[in-house]
Amino acid sequence: MAEALFRAEHIKKAFSGVYALQDVQFELRTGEVHALLGENGAGKSTLMKIISGVYTRDSGDVYLNGQKLTHDLTPQTAQTRGIGIIHQELNLCPHLTVAENIFLNREFTTTGVLNQKKQNEEAKKYLLQLNLDIDPDTQVSKLPVSKQQMVEICKTLSMNASIIIMDEPTSALTEKEIEDLFKVIAMLKEAGKGIVYISHRLEELSRIVDRVTILRDGRHVTTMNFADTSLPEIISYMVGRTLDEKFPRIEVPRGEKVLEVKGLSSSCGVGVKDVSFDLYKGEILAFAGLMGAGRTETVRAISGADKMSGGEVILNGKPAKIKSPADAISKGLFCAPEDRKRDGLCVRMTLAENITLPNLDFVSKFGVIMSKVEGEKSREMVKSLRIKTPSVFQYVRNLSGGNQQKVVVGKWLMRNAQVVIFDEPTRGIDVASKIEIYNIINDLKKNGIGVMFVSSELPEVLGMSDRVIVMCNGKITKELVTKNTNQEEILHYATQY
Ligand SMILES: Nc1ncnc2c1ncn2[C@@H]1O[C@H](COP(=O)(O)OP(=O)(O)OP(=O)(O)O)[C@@H](O)[C@H]1O
Ligand SMILES: [Mg+2]
C-alpha cells in the first residue's frame, strides 16, 4: 500500500486545561476522500487546524509522506508542503476583490508591479473549474454567502495542494454548487490528491467518501471503509447511542392569525416582490427554495433588518410598522439570522453576554446586569441546548462552529415572543443537536408562538413544518400543506422561473 499522505498519531491538544483532542489518530491516503465526522465540539476542526499549522499540538506525532515532522508547521509552511485548508468559518477579506482574495499574499507581479490583468485571468480559470460565472473583479462583500464559500474553495484549489482539507464546505452551498464541487472532488481524487471532508450533511457522504473517521469528545472512535458501514451505524458512533426519530413532529391545534404579510417588496439583496402570506399561532411555516430565491430577504424585511420598499406587516391584527430589529424585538418578533458571524453573534463577547444581550431586561435591575442571574440563565440555555463549552464565560469565537449556531438560536428563547423566525437554524449542526433545536421549535409551537423557518434541507422542511411557502426569484411560487406534498413537488416550484 502506498505511503499515507499524512498520518497523525497520539495527538493531544488542550485549551485552557480542557482537552479538545486526546490521543487522536488520523491517516489520509493518496486519492482518497476521507470523511472526518463527529458531533459539534468533537474536535474535528481543531485536528485539521493542527495539520494545517493554525494550532500547535501539545503532543503527538505527525508524518508527512512518511516523514516525521520535527518542527511544528505554520500556516505558511503547511501551504508550501502542499496542505490546503478550506476553513469552516469563511476567511475572506470582504473589501478585496475575488481575484485579490484568491491570490492574497501570492499576487501576480511583473517586475515587482501587480499585474492585475494576469491575476484576474488566472482567477477566472479557477472560477470556471467550479463552473462559477463571477467577475474576478467583484468585491467579495457583494457576493452571497454561498458564492463566498465557492471563492474560498477556489483559493485553496489555486494553491495546487496535494492534501485538501474541506471543513464543512457545503453548509452554505446550493444544490447546483454542491454538484459542481463534487465534480471537482472527483477530479482531485483522480489526480491522486487526498481530501479530508468534514460535514454534518451525512446524506451527501455516499456520493464521494471512501473512508470515515469518527471522533467523539476529542477521542478517536473508529475508522472504517464507507462501503462497510451505514448511516445509522455512523450516527451511533458519533453520538454514542442510537437515535430513533430524526424529526420529532408534534401536532398542535392551529390558533388565530398572528402575522399577516401583504404585498411585501424589498430591493435589498436579490430583492423580493409582492410577497403575501399568513402565519397562525402554534404553526410552523417553512420557507423552501434554492439559494437566492429571496427567502432571507423576506425574513430580513419582515424583521426590520432591511427596509421594505412596499407592502405591509400586520402583527396580531394591527399594522406593525417595524423600523429596525430592535423595534421588531420590542413588538415580539424575533429573527435568528443566517450569517451568524455578521448578524447573529458578537464573537468577541462571552457566551453568557451573547445570550443575555437581547434579554438585558431579564438579567438587569436599575440598568445594572446581575451577573449571577446572567450566569444562571446562560447555564440553563447551555444545558437545554447541549452547548459544548467549558464555561458560560467562554468567548464565543472559541466555540466550535455548530456550538456558535446554537447560541444564535438560544438567545431568543428567553423572550416572550409572538413570532420567531429562524433562517437556516440547523446549518452546521450535528444530527443529535438538530433534534434539540427541533424540540425548541416544538416548544415554541406548543406555547402558541408562530414559527417561521427558512431551510435548504428539504427533509427538515417536510419533517418539521405544517405548511411550506416555496419561493423562486424573489416571488412566492406556491404555498403547500406539508402533509400533502413531497420533495419533488417543492423542487418543482422552487425552480419555476
Ligand atoms: N481557540 C480555542 N480556544 C478555546 N477552546 C477552543 C478553541 N478552539 C476550539 N476550542 C474547543 O475545542 C473543542 C473542539 O472544537 P472544534 O472546533 O474542533 O469542534 P468541531 O468538531 O469542529 O465542531 P463543529 O462540528 O461544531 O464545527 C470545543 O469544545 C471548542 O470549544
Ligand atoms: Mg468545526
Side-chain angles (χ1 to χ4, degrees):
M1 193 177 26
E3 186 53 67
L5 283 170
F6 83 77
R7 198 147 46 88
E9 284 177 358
H10 309 298
I11 302 293
K12 282 193 181 176
K13 174 75 183 171
F15 294 104
S16 334
V18 181
Y19 274 109
L21 294 173
Q22 298 200 54
D23 201 19
V24 167
Q25 71 213 53
F26 188 84
E27 179 204 66
L28 182 70
R29 298 178 188 156
T30 40
E32 81 164 336
V33 179
H34 195 142
L36 180 59
L37 307 175
E39 288 188 280
N40 299 129
K44 306 178 295 291
S45 297
T46 303
L47 181 61
M48 289 306 122
K49 283 180 184 166
I50 289 173
I51 305 294
S52 58
V54 179
Y55 291 157
T56 53
R57 58 196 186 275
D58 295 344
S59 59
D61 300 318
V62 178
Y63 298 82
L64 268 184
N65 298 311
Q67 266 183 341
K68 189 168 166 175
L69 287 185
T70 47
H71 292 78
D72 281 324
L73 292 169
T74 64
Q76 283 74 31
T77 52
Q79 201 175 310
T80 48
R81 303 284 303 260
I83 303 171
I85 180 163
I86 298 157
H87 285 285
Q88 181 173 18
E89 303 298 332
L90 297 178
N91 263 330
L92 300 173
C93 303
H95 55 283
L96 297 183
T97 68
V98 169
E100 284 163 353
N101 265 287
I102 293 178
F103 295 111
L104 193 68
N105 280 329
R106 302 178 297 138
E107 285 78 8
F108 278 81
T109 52
T110 314
T111 54
V113 180
L114 176 70
N115 185 340
Q116 198 166 7
K117 186 160 168 276
K118 175 109 177 50
Q119 182 161 293
N120 283 350
E121 279 167 14
E122 281 297 309
K124 191 75 196 167
K125 262 195 348 217
Y126 291 103
L127 292 167
L128 285 178
Q129 234 184 48
L130 279 167
N131 229 338
L132 281 174
D133 187 19
I134 306 177
D135 180 356
D137 240 349
T138 318
Q139 195 178 326
V140 157
S141 63
K142 303 244 159 64
L143 297 174
V145 188
S146 75
K147 293 281 183 288
Q148 293 188 16
Q149 177 76 59
M150 291 299 260
V151 171
E152 183 99 33
I153 293 169
C154 273
K155 181 175 174 172
T156 306
L157 291 181
S158 75
M159 293 172 185
N160 200 16
S162 51
I163 295 166
I164 299 161
I165 300 164
M166 302 188 173
D167 196 347
E168 291 263 2
T170 56
S171 69
L173 297 188
T174 63
E175 293 300 322
K176 180 182 165 299
E177 287 162 342
I178 294 175
E179 280 313 308
D180 293 335
L181 175 65
F182 284 0
K183 281 190 202 133
V184 172
I185 291 179
M187 223 168 66
L188 295 169
K189 208 174 120 149
E190 195 66 23
K193 318 236 173 198
I195 293 138
V196 182
Y197 192 83
I198 300 179
S199 179
H200 288 294
R201 299 175 68 149
L202 303 178
E203 303 78 29
E204 70 191 18
L205 298 179
S206 63
R207 311 258 316 271
I208 47 167
V209 165
D210 301 300
R211 286 198 298 161
V212 285
T213 286
I214 296 166
L215 302 183
R216 185 163 74 233
D217 292 333
R219 291 176 194 274
H220 176 261
V221 180
T222 181
T223 297
M224 303 177 281
N225 284 325
F226 190 78
D228 302 335
T229 180
S230 64
L231 282 191
E233 186 180 49
I234 288 175
I235 292 171
S236 69
Y237 278 125
M238 281 171 63
V239 303
R241 61 194 151 95
T242 49
L243 297 177
D244 1 298
E245 209 184 6
K246 268 169 109 183
F247 301 108
R249 166 187 283 286
I250 55 163
E251 297 304 329
V252 168
R254 178 161 117 168
E256 294 157 26
K257 196 188 283 183
V258 58
L259 179 78
E260 192 175 342
V261 173
K262 279 207 241 173
L264 173 113
S265 300
S266 149
S267 49
C268 297
V270 298
V272 288
K273 269 189 295 296
D274 201 22
V275 166
S276 302
F277 64 90
D278 298 332
L279 173 71
Y280 294 84
K281 293 185 174 173
E283 182 187 44
I284 301 180
L285 182 62
F287 279 70
L290 305 180
M291 215 74 70
R295 298 165 302 163
T296 293
E297 284 74 8
T298 301
V299 301
R300 283 181 62 91
I302 294 171
S303 59
D306 288 344
K307 204 168 165 296
M308 287 167 49
S309 54
E312 228 187 331
V313 173
I314 297 160
L315 198 58
N316 284 320
K318 291 194 207 79
K321 294 206 170 59
I322 292 167
K323 292 185 233 31
S324 64
D327 190 26
I329 293 167
S330 72
K331 289 173 172 142
L333 186 145
F334 308 119
C335 181
E338 178 185 23
D339 185 346
R340 59 177 176 251
K341 240 183 169 176
R342 197 179 66 190
D343 307 321
L345 285 173
C346 304
V347 291
R348 287 172 201 284
M349 288 167 74
T350 66
L351 190 158
E353 286 165 339
N354 266 280
I355 286 184
T356 54
L357 202 59
N359 300 298
L360 285 176
D361 44 345
F362 283 22
V363 297
S364 59
K365 230 183 198 163
F366 312 117
V368 180
I369 295 181
M370 298 176 289
S371 5
K372 191 158 163 268
V373 184
E374 184 178 53
E376 273 167 15
K377 289 277 177 205
S378 314
R379 270 188 285 274
E380 270 171 34
M381 193 65 67
V382 164
K383 196 156 160 250
S384 70
L385 284 178
R386 296 170 62 245
I387 298 176
K388 188 164 184 273
T389 177
S391 112
V392 295
F393 302 111
Q394 173 74 281
Y395 288 106
V396 164
R397 65 162 180 267
N398 291 339
L399 295 181
S400 79
N403 282 301
Q404 290 186 7
Q405 179 66 13
K406 292 189 208 173
V407 178
V408 174
V409 175
K411 64 182 191 170
W412 302 114
L413 302 173
M414 278 157 71
R415 305 295 319 193
N416 241 343
Q418 307 277 331
V419 173
V420 178
I421 306 174
F422 297 99
D423 196 352
E424 302 284 359
T426 63
R427 172 181 295 164
I429 296 223
D430 68 55
V431 266
S433 303
K434 272 184 185 163
I435 298 175
E436 310 296 330
I437 290 192
Y438 299 143
N439 284 332
I440 289 167
I441 292 180
N442 279 343
D443 277 348
L444 297 171
K445 180 178 181 173
K446 253 190 280 183
N447 286 313
I449 292 162
V451 180
M452 282 163 53
F453 78 91
V454 173
S455 172
S456 298
E457 290 194 39
L458 288 180
E460 169 175 289
V461 166
L462 290 167
M464 288 307 295
S465 72
D466 298 302
R467 276 188 306 139
V468 188
I469 303 271
V470 189
M471 293 188 72
C472 181
N473 273 350
K475 287 193 187 139
I476 293 181
T477 47
K478 190 73 182 173
E479 190 185 306
L480 297 160
V481 173
T482 310
K483 64 174 189 291
N484 302 332
T485 186
N486 56 33
Q487 213 147 316
E488 289 68 39
E489 191 180 20
I490 295 177
L491 273 176
H492 170 75
Y493 289 110
T495 48
Q496 215 168 57
Y497 295 98

